[in-house]
Amino acid sequence: MVKGIAVSDSQMKIKQFLITGRKLPTKNEPNPGIYKMRVFAKNEILAKSKFWYFLKRQKKVKKANGEILAVSEIFEKNVSNVKNYGLVVRYRSRTGIHNMYKEYRDVSVCGAVSQ
């Protein structure tokens, strides 16, 4: 990115969603626990898909045995101030698993994630 050029539309398409879901009630467990997750995605459909992807690996709840209770988009309260955001990323490569921390300067969390 060159200094002085406005942020392109492709960078600002990522939105932040708060998704609430749970396992379906059964006879053995009539009140299952509720799980909330903050997800970054382009739209609501992809956010739901990522929610089930991570919930399946973390809590062993599949989409067929669960339900989504609420989906809401999270908006920034104050986008006039520039802030520093730190992102922690864990990725797998051919040589192993690596942890990475990088800081971005932006007016919103979504803008920092999209960089």
Side-chain angles (χ1 to χ4, degrees), residues 25-48:
T26 60
K27 292 180 184 177
N28 297 338
E29 195 176 4
N31 294 322
I34 296 174
Y35 304 108
K36 281 186 174 183
M37 193 177 297
R38 252 182 10 174
V39 178
F40 292 94
K42 289 185 180 181
N43 56 32
E44 188 176 319
I45 296 166
L46 291 175
K48 287 180 187 178

Side-chain angles (χ1 to χ4, degrees), residues 11-69:
Q11 286 185 342
M12 294 305 291
K13 288 185 181 176
I14 292 181
K15 300 175 185 172
Q16 186 178 8
F17 294 93
L18 180 67
I19 302 180
T20 308
R22 70 175 183 170
K23 194 174 182 179
L24 286 174
T26 60
K27 292 180 184 177
N28 297 338
E29 195 176 4
N31 294 322
I34 296 174
Y35 304 108
K36 281 186 174 183
M37 193 177 297
R38 252 182 10 174
V39 178
F40 292 94
K42 289 185 180 181
N43 56 32
E44 188 176 319
I45 296 166
L46 291 175
K48 287 180 187 178
S49 177
K50 282 187 179 184
F51 173 78
W52 288 119
Y53 175 83
F54 290 119
L55 200 66
K56 185 170 34 175
R57 280 155 183 74
Q58 292 176 358
K59 300 294 180 182
K60 306 295 184 205
V61 177
K62 293 194 321 187
K63 183 179 179 182
N65 300 330
E67 63 182 346
I68 290 182
L69 302 175

Side-chain angles (χ1 to χ4, degrees), residues 87-93 95-102:
L87 298 177
V88 178
V89 179
R90 186 174 188 160
Y91 66 95
R92 212 174 351 172
S93 70
T95 57
I97 298 173
H98 306 285
N99 294 322
M100 181 176 77
Y101 175 80
K102 191 154 184 188

Side-chain angles (χ1 to χ4, degrees), residues 6-14 114:
V7 176
S8 66
D9 291 335
S10 64
Q11 286 185 342
M12 294 305 291
K13 288 185 181 176
I14 292 181
S114 63

